[in-house]
Amino acid sequence: MIARRTFLATSATATAAGVGGLGGGSAAAASEQPRQDQDFVDFLTEAADARAAAVIDGYDDDLTELRDQGKARAAARSLRTLTSVHVHPGSRYHHDDALLGPLGGLAEALADEQFDDGLWDQGAVHSPPDTAFSIVDLNIAHALLDKDGERSTAKLRATVERILRKAGPGLANGGVHTANHRWLVCSALSRIHRRWPDPSYPRRIDAWLAEGIDQLPGGEYSERSPTYSAVVTNPALLTIARFHDRRDLYAHVRDNLTASLYVTEPGGEVESLHSRRQDQAALRYLPEFWLQYRELAIRDGNGTFAAVAELLRERGTGQTFGETPPGDRLAEVLDRPELARELPQVKPLPTDFEHHDDSCRLVRVRRGERTASIFGGTDLPEVHAISSGLSTNPTFFKMRKGAAILDSLRLAPRFFSLGPFRSEGLERQGDAWRLHAEVRAAFHQPLPRRHRRKDGLYPLTDDGRFWSAMDFPHRPKEYRALRTEILVRETDDGGWDLSFDVSESAVPLALELCFRRGGELSGEGLEPVAGADDTYQLVSGEATYAVGDDRITFGPGNGKGGKQPPVVEPGERYTWMNGSLTPDGIRVLITGRSPLTYRMTLR
C-alpha cells in the first residue's frame, strides 16, 4: 500500500502540472513536494471512512429520492464520498470491490433519471442550477476515478463521463434563479470544458461573469447569507479561478472570508441575522468555510486564515458541522492535494473589536467571550414586502456572555397591524449606535370629482397594508404616524444600555427578549403569560437568565395592565397567511404604551 504522505505528494505534483494548483510555481518548485499536514489528512480519512459506512447502509434512500422525486443531489454526493475512499490509499475502503456495487448503482440511476436535455428536476422542472450542484460533485468524482485509473472502475468512469457530457449543453443554455446560481453553473461548466472542450461553455461562463460578482463593499455577497457564501459562492469562485483562469476571483473569496471573521461567534456559530435567505433565522456554522480558509491561508501565507483552519481542526468532531459532514471533505482534498499542505504560521484571531459593516447595516462587537450584534438593515423599509430573498428578521439586538445567549430582542408596537419595529438605518451617534424608523398608516378621504365613477367600480389597489377596490392612489389622505428611536450603548462593565423613545401615537407595545434554551430564568418581577408556553412578563425589577456560571441580568420591568398587554403582534402580512414570527426559546416581555421613554440595561 502507498503511504498517505507519498500518495498526496504525488497527486500534488500531478495537479500542479495539470490544472495549476495553489500558488502555481515552476516544475522545480513542484518537485519539492511541500510537506503535508498528515494530522489533517488522517482526520479527514477517518471521517470519510465513517461517512462511507453510513452511505453504504443508506444509499437506497438516495436512489428512492432520485427515482421518485427527481432529486439527484444526495445520490451524487454519496457517489463522490464513496469515490474518495475507494481511490485513497489511506482509507480502509481503498480499492475495495464491495464499493463497486453501490458506486455503479448510484451512477446508473443518475444516468437513467437524467433528462434528454442533461438536467434533473431537484424540486424544480428541468433545473440547470439544481443540476449544477450534482455536476460539481460528479466532476470531482470523475477526476478522482480518472486519476486512479483502476480497471475495475472503467464502466463507472464511462457512466459518469456520459452524465457530465450530457449535462454540459443544458448548463450552457439554461437559466438560473438566484445570484449564487450563476457562479455555481460557471463552476460546473469550467470543469466540463477543461476535460471535454466546447466553445459554447466558456462563452456562457464569460457571459455570466460579465455581470460582475455581486459583492458588497463590506465583503458579503448580495444575498448576505453565510450558507450560500460557504456552500455555493466561495467554492464556485475558487473553482472558476482554477479552471477558467480567473485568478482575480480569489480576491472576492478573500474579502468574504475576512468579513466572516467578524460575524463568527466564539463557539463557531456564524451570524446570519442580516441574511436575505432562509438562514436569516437559523444557526449556521464556521466549519462550512473550513477548506476555503485553508486554501487562502496556504495560497496567501495568511496567518489569520491559518488560525481559523487550525482552530477547526483542534475542535475536531466535537463541533457542529452544519450541512457538510467532515467525511464529505476528503474528496475535495484529494482533488486539490495542495489543501493538505502544512499551514503557514498562525496569527491571533480578532477577539476584541467593534466592526461596522455599513453595506449590511450590521455592527458586531466582541470582547473575548462576550459578543453582541446590532442590526438595522432589513429590506422592508425600502421594499415594503415580506418575501423569499428579502431580509425581514425584526431582531435588532443580540448578545451573549459565554453560554448565556440572548438570541433576539425585538420591539412590537400594536400600530395598524404593521408589525414589529424594523429600523430604517444604523449609524453612529456619539457613543451610541442609533436605530430609527417612522411608520405611517392612512385614513382615506372621498375621491376628487374627476376620479369618481358612476358605476362605483374602482380599481383594486394597495393601501400599503391591504388591498381594496378603492382607487387609493387618487384619494386625499390623513396619516397617523409612529416614530421610534433606539440608542444602543456599550457600558464600561461589559454590558449594554438601550434607550427607547417611541412617540407620535398612543399605542401599546412589547419588548420581546428571547433566550436560547438550556438555562434558568429568575426574578421576583416575572409573571407567566397565560396561553403562551415559556413566556413571561417582567413587571418590575430585574431578571436574570443563567447557564451555569454565565448570566445575563436585564430590566427593569415596566408594569402591566389592560393598556399594555403582554402581546407580540407579528403584523397583518403574517397573520393573514396564518404565519408566525415567534422565535423559539424562553421569552420575556416588557410592556408599555407610547409615548414612551424607557431605558433597558443588559449586563
Side-chain angles (χ1 to χ4, degrees), residues 132 135-136 139 167-173 183-196 200-202 204-205 208 243:
I135 295 302
V136 165
N139 271 326
L171 297 178
N173 292 288
W183 322 134
L184 178 69
V185 168
C186 290
S187 168
L189 279 174
S190 68
R191 289 196 70 145
I192 296 175
H193 177 68
R194 177 64 65 94
R195 189 68 174 83
W196 304 285
S200 68
Y201 299 168
R204 177 48 67 105
I205 294 170
W208 285 126
F243 288 92

Side-chain angles (χ1 to χ4, degrees), residues 255-277:
D255 289 346
N256 181 257
L257 295 179
T258 299
S260 298
L261 293 172
Y262 296 100
V263 294
T264 299
E265 299 290 356
E269 293 176 16
V270 180
E271 181 64 85
S272 59
L273 174 61
H274 54 304
S275 174
R276 288 186 165 122
R277 299 303 303 273

Side-chain angles (χ1 to χ4, degrees), residues 290-415:
W290 189 351
L291 295 190
Q292 298 151 42
Y293 276 111
R294 191 172 183 93
E295 181 164 344
L296 270 294
I298 294 169
R299 177 179 178 82
D300 298 344
N302 187 314
T304 304
F305 289 179
V308 176
E310 184 176 87
L311 176 64
L312 293 174
R313 172 61 194 98
E314 289 173 355
R315 289 176 173 172
T317 57
Q319 61 192 317
T320 303
F321 280 89
E323 289 189 19
T324 309
D328 283 358
R329 299 292 189 191
L330 178 63
E332 298 174 69
V333 175
L334 297 177
D335 183 53
R336 300 197 303 283
E338 61 272 16
L339 295 180
R341 293 177 186 171
E342 287 189 343
L343 292 167
Q345 185 174 354
V346 302
K347 293 183 178 179
L349 290 169
T351 58
D352 189 344
F353 57 80
E354 182 180 74
H355 180 74
H356 180 203
D357 184 349
D358 187 49
S359 57
C360 294
R361 288 181 285 183
L362 175 71
V363 169
R364 286 277 302 164
V365 179
R366 180 172 178 182
R367 310 298 182 202
E369 295 298 303
R370 294 182 286 107
T371 67
S373 299
I374 308 167
F375 180 55
T378 75
D379 293 313
L380 187 66
E382 290 83 14
V383 181
H384 304 291
I386 303 292
S387 180
S388 175
L390 295 176
S391 169
T392 58
N393 191 330
T395 297
F396 61 85
F397 181 81
K398 303 169 69 172
M399 70 172 287
R400 61 179 66 198
K401 292 176 64 179
I405 301 173
L406 173 64
D407 269 329
S408 173
L409 175 58
R410 300 173 178 178
L411 171 62
R414 300 180 71 179
F415 180 76

Side-chain angles (χ1 to χ4, degrees), residues 21-208:
L22 290 172
S26 65
S31 67
E32 293 174 4
Q33 299 179 0
R35 294 180 60 182
Q36 306 299 320
D37 185 342
Q38 197 59 46
D39 174 73
F40 173 65
V41 174
D42 291 345
F43 172 79
L44 290 187
T45 301
E46 183 177 351
D49 283 348
R51 178 68 176 153
V55 169
I56 293 168
D57 289 340
Y59 80 96
D60 282 343
D61 293 337
D62 300 338
L63 296 177
T64 299
E65 184 178 66
L66 173 62
R67 289 169 175 151
D68 291 354
Q69 303 176 45
K71 296 182 177 181
R73 285 197 208 175
R77 176 54 61 93
S78 291
L79 190 152
R80 189 187 95 167
T81 298
L82 293 182
T83 295
S84 69
V85 297
H86 183 73
V87 304
H88 180 34
S91 168
R92 61 187 173 94
Y93 290 101
H94 181 231
H95 289 170
D96 188 338
D97 289 345
L99 294 186
L100 297 179
L103 282 167
L106 288 163
E108 291 296 337
L110 286 163
D112 290 345
E113 298 301 325
Q114 192 177 22
F115 295 118
D116 289 342
D117 59 6
L119 305 177
W120 293 287
D121 280 347
Q122 194 65 37
V125 179
H126 291 246
S127 171
D130 290 301
T131 296
F133 280 101
S134 298
I135 295 302
V136 165
D137 282 343
L138 295 178
N139 271 326
I140 293 174
H142 184 270
L144 295 179
L145 290 166
D146 188 56
K147 184 187 299 181
D148 186 53
E150 277 291 297
R151 182 179 301 176
S152 62
T153 61
K155 182 180 178 182
L156 172 63
R157 295 199 304 272
T159 303
V160 177
E161 176 178 340
R162 187 168 72 250
I163 294 170
L164 295 172
R165 284 176 173 268
K166 190 175 181 181
L171 297 178
N173 292 288
V176 299
H177 292 139
T178 65
N180 70 78
H181 284 168
R182 297 171 294 177
W183 322 134
L184 178 69
V185 168
C186 290
S187 168
L189 279 174
S190 68
R191 289 196 70 145
I192 296 175
H193 177 68
R194 177 64 65 94
R195 189 68 174 83
W196 304 285
D198 184 308
S200 68
Y201 299 168
R203 282 199 299 268
R204 177 48 67 105
I205 294 170
D206 290 338
W208 285 126

Side-chain angles (χ1 to χ4, degrees), residues 492-526:
D492 292 339
D493 60 356
W496 293 89
D497 281 349
L498 283 77
S499 299
F500 297 83
D501 188 347
V502 187
S503 61
E504 298 293 322
S505 292
V507 297
L509 55 84
L511 282 161
E512 176 192 62
L513 300 93
C514 185
F515 295 92
R516 181 84 55 91
R517 295 187 185 278
E520 295 183 358
L521 185 65
S522 62
E524 293 183 0
L526 290 168

